[in-house]
Amino acid sequence: MDLQLLDQTLAARGEPRFRATQVWRWAAAGVAGYEAMTNLPKALREELAKEVPFSSLEVRREMSARDGTVKALFATADGRPLEAVLMRYRNPPGGGDGRRSICLSSQSGCPLTCTFCATGAMRFVRNLSASEILDQALHFRRQERVDHCVFMGMGEPLLNLDAVLAACERLPDLGISHRRTAISTVGWIPGIERLTECELPLRLALSLHAADEALRSELMPVNERYPLHEVLGACRAHYARKRRRIFVEYVMLAGVNDRYEQAVALTKLLAPADADAPRMFKVNLIPFNPTSSPFKGSSREAIAAFKAALEEHGVQATVRLTRGRDIDAACGQLAAKAA
Ligand code: SAH
């Protein structure tokens, strides 16, 4: 719901200030509409239903994968596409930790042009507002409880940090603590520095993808502007201040960044001899979700070998489960098709 419009509408009616909080609490608890807000006068509920659309987003498509992943394609009020994903993990005896993790978009399209990414191939449209970010989360909250959030949908969150942080401030009301919220970046240094100063204990995730400057610039042209060694400097300063381990995202591309020497080079980059190093970074190896780009994902075996090489050199690594492959769940895939 457009929270600014809500405030204006309440103010225009001369409503007391606690009304906005009441409305938000109900929305964050996952109710379906204003009629459920029983501590609000009926006339007010009716007026809000007319004046303030319950969501700033319209669901255009929703798809469920066999593994329980749900992906929603939304349109903003001005018709801009964006998407968000709910990932359900199994409950404890089945192996998972039962988490319900949502993956949110911060922009419609993306101004960066990572060559393997479907969103990167799309036109940049605009930043999303805090309300448009929250409405993605509320959409899934209305379906079930949620407890983790990653900004790994469309867009670069650090290019829209005011709105992202405003949304993060409210996520705990939906059940998602700051510690369970991760902001993923290509390495936009001014944004990393702002997050370092920010009081909220959010998790930083860095999309690294290549330990070598030249290869990284090929995959992620933003590396020309903020080269990897400077980005890692900003990450080290972040860790020194926040003492929160940084997740390094590494998408596994066959024959491009998955060789043994490249794993060793990555460990040299992440684990220099200082005492903090082993705790500072954890690598998440991401199986590539095929897009219309020429890239192919590394085989399971290549990913396992890469992980073993990292661990052999003292860097902790996990392989991300592939989720929702049958529904185009990778960053931007659905919206790019719709566009
Ligand atoms: N702009 C931010 C957040 C959005 S992308 C960032 O780059 O971190 C979230 C993650 O998904 C990034 O690590 C990105 O590189 C990765 N990604 C993009 N396309 C992918 C694909 N087709 N398969 C697997 N991971 C992909």
Side-chain angles (χ1 to χ4, degrees), residues 142-163:
R142 288 193 280 277
Q143 301 180 5
E144 63 180 301
R145 73 177 167 83
V146 288
D147 47 37
H148 285 71
C149 171
V150 291
F151 281 87
M152 293 190 189
M154 297 169 74
E156 167 53 42
L158 298 191
L159 287 173
N160 186 19
L161 193 50
D162 288 333

Side-chain angles (χ1 to χ4, degrees), residues 4-20:
Q4 255 178 326
L5 179 63
L6 174 70
D7 282 344
Q8 286 162 9
T9 308
L10 292 171
R13 275 181 55 111
E15 291 289 336
R17 300 195 70 171
F18 62 82
R19 291 287 183 223

